[in-house]
């Protein structure tokens, strides 16, 4: 698959052009692929490895791609990090897992890819579904990860029912109607400040959700993250937007659960004026919180 989806070939309404920031970062990246059970995992990498510093592997969220981190790459490169951003199996440019269709099917392909690319051990950071996946991977392969950062991760078992609802869009043929559904969904789940739902966010979201080939994922609605954290021996930090749509009024319960089940919790950070996609909505505040966690 290519980095840009050909919507016309798929019989879909035309997609908006991807933003200039995407085009620049893609041009600067090195694209690598790894193999597991005949399936291809696509990685984008920036920066160079420095003595004494581990590579930073960054996992995106559900229905996403590496572009979930698009507003953080430059800042991390400026701090000298070597970045490795895969498209998770079944998202973006990567093939679906050979078996299974949820986070548990991604652990072996990711670990195999990290080994093939000489990324073991690493610092590992995951956003949303990617945070849940990162914790499961760290629990399954404890020698692979020396520090884990979870951003907006689900599956902590503290909400009695889903805290948001999304609107369907695949049945709509009118591009304007689809756009309004995407705008609604970004506001319902991803971004707290409606003014941040700009052309760039909409274009990235549209390109990402059309390449989600794992629509039946269910583990994010369980407590699998809370089950995984007690097994993790490396330092763990958690960063959430204060208005994360996954938790809403359950944010105090979320922090309590982290402190109860995480033996090596380094920090639990709530960033003001931000929702679920906190690293996109408040990139400067996010980096100010993240960098001390990575370097301590």
């Amino acid at each position: 698959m290519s980095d840009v989806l050909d919507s016309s070939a798929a019989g879909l309404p035309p997609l908006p052009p991807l933003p200039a920031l995407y085009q620049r970062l893609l041009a600067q990246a090195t694209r690598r692929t790894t193999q597991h059970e005949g399936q291809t995992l696509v990685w984008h990498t920036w920066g160079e490895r420095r003595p004494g510093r581990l590579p930073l592997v960054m996992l995106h969220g559900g229905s996403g791609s590496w572009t979930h981190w698009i507003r953080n790459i430059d800042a991390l490169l400026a701090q000298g990090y070597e970045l490795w951003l895969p498209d998770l199996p079944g998202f973006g440019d990567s093939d679906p897992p050979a078996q299974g269709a949820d986070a548990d099917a991604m652990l072996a392909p990711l670990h195999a890819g990290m080994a093939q690319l000489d990324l073991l051990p690493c610092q590992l950071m995951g956003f949303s579904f990617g945070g849940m996946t990162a914790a499961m991977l760290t629990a399954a392969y404890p020698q692979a990860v020396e520090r884990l950062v979870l951003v907006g991760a689900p599956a902590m078992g503290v909400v009695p029912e889903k805290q948001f609802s999304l609107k369907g869009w695949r049945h709509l043929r009118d591009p304007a109607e689809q756009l309004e559904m995407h705008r609604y969904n970004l506001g319902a789940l991803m971004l707290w400040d409606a003014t941040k739902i700009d052309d760039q966010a909409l274009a990235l979201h549209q390109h990402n959700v059309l390449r989600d080939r794992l629509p039946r994922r269910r583990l994010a609605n369980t407590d699998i993250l809370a089950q995984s954290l007690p097994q993790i021996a490396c330092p763990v930090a958690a960063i959430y937007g204060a208005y994360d749509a996954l938790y809403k009024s359950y944010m105090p319960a979320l922090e309590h659960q982290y402190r109860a089940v995480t033996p090596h919790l380094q920090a639990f950070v709530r960033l003001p004026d931000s929702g679920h996609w906190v690293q996109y909505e408040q990139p400067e505040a996010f980096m100010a919180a993240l960098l001390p966690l990575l370097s301590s």
Side-chain angles (χ1 to χ4, degrees):
M1 298 182 67
S2 65
D3 284 283
V4 179
L5 180 68
D6 182 0
S7 61
S8 61
L12 299 168
L15 290 172
L18 284 158
L21 176 58
Y22 168 90
Q23 303 292 352
R24 176 176 63 78
L25 288 172
L26 185 64
Q28 294 171 345
T30 298
R31 179 185 171 108
R32 300 285 299 275
T33 61
T34 57
Q35 301 292 321
H36 183 265
E37 296 185 347
Q39 303 300 100
T40 298
L41 190 63
V42 175
W43 303 70
H44 290 86
T45 180
W46 294 261
E48 297 180 357
R49 194 163 311 181
R50 295 187 176 186
R53 178 171 283 184
L54 297 174
L56 177 58
V57 176
M58 302 162 64
L59 307 185
H60 63 77
S63 301
S65 73
W66 68 265
T67 60
H68 274 167
W69 302 104
I70 196 168
R71 299 189 73 186
N72 316 113
I73 293 170
D74 283 330
L76 286 165
L77 289 175
Q79 295 295 320
Y81 285 95
E82 178 194 30
L83 309 178
W84 290 85
L85 280 61
D87 284 352
L88 293 173
F91 302 111
D93 290 348
S94 293
D95 292 337
Q99 302 177 43
D102 213 318
D104 51 353
M106 301 183 182
L107 309 184
L110 284 167
H111 184 259
M114 292 158 68
Q116 292 169 39
L117 295 169
D118 191 27
L119 304 181
L120 301 176
C122 68
Q123 296 196 88
L124 181 60
M125 179 162 64
F127 164 57
S128 191
F129 175 86
M132 178 184 76
T133 305
M136 294 170 66
L137 189 151
T138 305
Y141 303 99
Q143 303 304 314
V145 180
E146 291 202 1
R147 184 183 307 275
L148 176 65
V149 180
L150 306 177
V151 182
M156 285 295 284
V158 299
V159 295
E161 59 186 15
K162 200 172 184 179
Q163 299 297 294
F164 63 93
S165 60
L166 303 179
K167 292 185 177 181
W169 53 270
R170 292 182 184 272
H171 65 289
L172 301 172
R173 310 316 298 174
D174 183 345
E177 291 183 13
Q178 277 204 6
L179 184 66
E180 285 311 303
M181 294 304 100
H182 291 309
R183 187 185 303 277
Y184 174 88
N185 289 341
L186 278 171
L189 172 58
M190 298 292 275
L191 298 169
W192 174 72
D193 183 351
T195 65
K196 301 295 177 65
I197 307 175
D198 55 13
D199 290 345
Q200 174 175 273
L202 281 164
L204 294 172
H205 179 71
Q206 285 180 266
H207 280 263
N208 282 335
V209 296
L210 278 167
R211 296 189 292 169
D212 176 357
R213 282 145 287 144
L214 300 179
R216 301 188 183 278
R217 305 185 309 276
R218 295 292 181 267
L219 282 172
N221 298 321
T222 72
D223 65 347
I224 190 65
L225 177 56
Q227 293 180 40
S228 300
L229 287 169
Q231 306 172 48
I232 295 175
C234 70
V236 177
I239 303 175
Y240 286 82
Y243 299 99
D244 193 318
L246 295 185
Y247 294 98
K248 293 187 176 178
S249 63
Y250 294 94
M251 195 62 70
L254 175 67
E255 180 173 358
H256 176 80
Q257 180 78 318
Y258 264 100
R259 298 193 182 281
V261 304
T262 313
H264 302 283
L265 184 65
Q266 183 183 11
F268 181 94
V269 180
R270 279 187 274 182
L271 293 180
D273 302 324
S274 53
H276 183 55
W277 196 6
V278 56
Q279 75 272 25
Y280 183 91
E281 189 163 10
Q282 295 287 353
E284 292 83 8
F286 177 78
M287 290 304 303
L290 174 66
L291 289 176
L293 299 175
L294 292 178
S295 62
S296 63

